[in-house]
């Protein structure tokens, strides 16, 4: 598959970030842009079938496995809105989602 044939997607990932002046970690969600490659499926620990997508990160070029519910295909109008005249992404690739969760570094379930 040629790169021009790949569809642009927005996907959400979760990162643990250390808070300043504290030993607590914060879980933050970020929205990023990527190129969709293919769907896949696997069984979770309970034997339930789950679907995922393989997405190429536009910023780093890494292939990332993303949960199917965390991916959204962008329309042509949305792609035009986030690119400039030369076809480069004009806004920040990684945007933080407002929802955050605090977790303690000592807690591990």
């Amino acid at each position: 598959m040629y790169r021009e044939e790949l569809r642009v997607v927005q996907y959400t990932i979760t990162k643990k970030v250390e808070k300043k002046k504290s030993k607590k970690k914060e879980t933050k969600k970020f929205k990023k842009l990527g190129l969709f490659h293919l769907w896949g499926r696997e069984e979770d620990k309970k034997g339930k079938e789950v679907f995922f997508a393989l997405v190429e990160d536009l910023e780093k070029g890494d292939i990332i496995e993303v949960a199917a519910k965390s991916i959204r295909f962008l329309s042509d109008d949305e792609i035009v809105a986030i690119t400039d005249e030369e076809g480069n992404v004009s806004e920040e690739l990684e945007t933080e989602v407002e929802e955050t969760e605090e977790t303690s570094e000592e807690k591990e379930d």
Side-chain angles (χ1 to χ4, degrees), residues 7-9 73-84 88:
R7 293 179 63 187
V8 178
V9 295
F73 290 93
L74 299 180
S75 69
D76 290 338
D77 292 338
E78 290 172 312
I79 295 169
V80 169
I82 61 173
T83 56
D84 60 16
N88 298 320

Side-chain angles (χ1 to χ4, degrees), residues 22 24 45 50 52 80 85 94 96 102:
S22 174
K24 291 185 178 179
K45 295 175 184 176
V50 292
F52 63 90
V80 169
E85 300 82 32
E94 187 175 288
E96 184 179 332
E102 288 186 17

